[in-house]
Amino acid sequence: MKNELEQYLQNINKELYSFAFALLPDDLQVTQIILDSITVLLLERSELVETLNICETEEDKANTFLSIKMFLYRHIYKLIDKRAEQLKGSIETQSEYSEYNGLGLVEKAVLFFRSKTHLGFEDIAFILGEGKTEIFQHLANGRQNLALRAGIQMEGNL
Amino acid sequence: MSENNQLDKDDLEGSRYLYADKNKDLYLNTFKNKRCPQSNKVFLLLDRDDSEQKLKSLTDHVAQCDVCREQLKKQRSYAFKIDELIPRPTVPRSLQVEFESELAQLIKDFSFTAKPVPSDIGFWSRLKTKFLS
């Protein structure tokens, strides 16, 4: 069972890492934050991990894995939210994404999810601990602010 | 990458949904609460949670309307530019190796101590406080 979990976590590391790195562009911090989130999972949601043992169908197993992934995304976001402020000024941001890096944390998270993953609004709302309406608002603000920073002139909203 | 490491099939499937979802977003952001100057049609009731049927009526209209199609083309160009400003998914190979080794150790540690003995309770409590406070 543990091996199956380990394999799953290895497979989704790229997704988790990409999200975390988009919010906090420091590779070592990000790796540690992902490992810390997995520690929280093993400590706090051992029953979820144990559920993998008793899943009768592949669908049940896929749903359990999905719950694990959502839990990890949520805790990665929480940890970054706490650490980003402490690390402010000590992180060298990539010049390639300077406009994006200058946005607020929640705007960056929503933009990343909508642009680079196929997560729906409900999943994003769960991960960020907000309502769907707020997520729509963050998305609209994030796009406007990013366009403004990059000097993209737009007609109407995007 | 897919959950079973079957990169091709699941990645393509993921891209398909992502594409459909982004297209829907694009249509909604371009036309919501706007009036088509040519047909005078208003898309007032359209929202993200609306049915595919409503979206289809809009896409059918856009397919036939030069003014709306031009508007969509402009918005698509903005969307593409904005997309380019958002970091691409990545993970350095060296860190993936380091991650896998740390993960293996973590899983091993927890498999040996899944049920804490009484003398460990203080340690577990401190660990929980550290991560969850």
Side-chain angles (χ1 to χ4, degrees), chain A:
Chain A
M1 184 272 293
K2 291 288 180 188
N3 285 340
E4 200 172 20
L5 176 68
E6 189 176 337
Q7 184 60 52
Y8 176 73
L9 295 173
Q10 279 183 14
N11 290 343
I12 63 165
N13 184 41
K14 183 182 172 189
E15 294 170 51
L16 301 178
Y17 182 92
S18 301
F19 167 62
F21 193 77
L23 300 188
L24 184 69
D26 182 302
D27 48 13
L28 292 178
Q29 286 285 346
V30 160
T31 304
Q32 192 53 52
I33 281 171
I34 295 171
L35 288 166
D36 287 351
S37 302
I38 294 170
T39 308
V40 176
L41 169 79
L42 297 170
L43 274 170
E44 260 311 278
R45 297 297 307 272
S46 55
E47 89 289 350
L48 190 60
V49 175
E50 297 298 331
T51 304
L52 289 170
N53 269 337
I54 53 167
C55 287
E56 289 182 354
T57 64
E58 283 304 307
E59 194 185 350
D60 285 349
K61 194 167 276 187
N63 285 335
T64 307
F65 276 137
L66 189 62
S67 300
I68 288 174
K69 184 156 81 173
M70 288 297 113
F71 179 91
L72 291 174
Y73 266 134
R74 189 175 166 123
H75 279 271
I76 286 169
Y77 181 75
K78 276 187 182 177
L79 287 174
I80 290 179
D81 193 18
K82 283 183 184 172
R83 291 189 197 169
E85 195 55 37
Q86 299 162 359
L87 295 168
K88 216 173 183 178
S90 63
I91 305 276
E92 252 184 64
T93 55
Q94 300 163 286
S95 54
E96 190 185 356
Y97 297 113
S98 58
E99 295 93 352
Y100 172 86
N101 285 326
L103 297 174
L105 196 67
V106 69
E107 288 180 358
K108 286 198 284 189
V110 177
L111 281 173
F112 181 85
F113 279 135
R114 292 304 292 170
S115 172
K116 308 295 178 193
T117 74
H118 55 276
L119 289 177
F121 283 103
E122 269 181 28
D123 288 338
I124 299 171
F126 169 79
I127 292 165
L128 304 184
E130 298 203 30
K132 261 168 84 177
T133 315
E134 285 75 23
I135 300 299
F136 295 151
Q137 196 60 51
H138 293 312
L139 181 63
N141 289 343
R143 282 173 174 156
Q144 294 291 339
N145 288 339
L146 192 52
L148 197 68
R149 284 172 170 274
I152 299 170
Q153 299 288 327
M154 297 198 304
E155 288 174 34
N157 293 327
L158 183 64

Side-chain angles (χ1 to χ4, degrees), chain B residues 30-48:
Chain B
T30 308
F31 296 107
K32 190 185 173 191
N33 294 344
K34 293 202 179 83
R35 186 185 292 272
C36 164
Q38 194 151 281
S39 67
N40 221 22
K41 201 168 179 173
V42 186
F43 303 111
L44 270 177
L45 299 173
L46 207 64
D47 208 342
R48 281 186 177 83

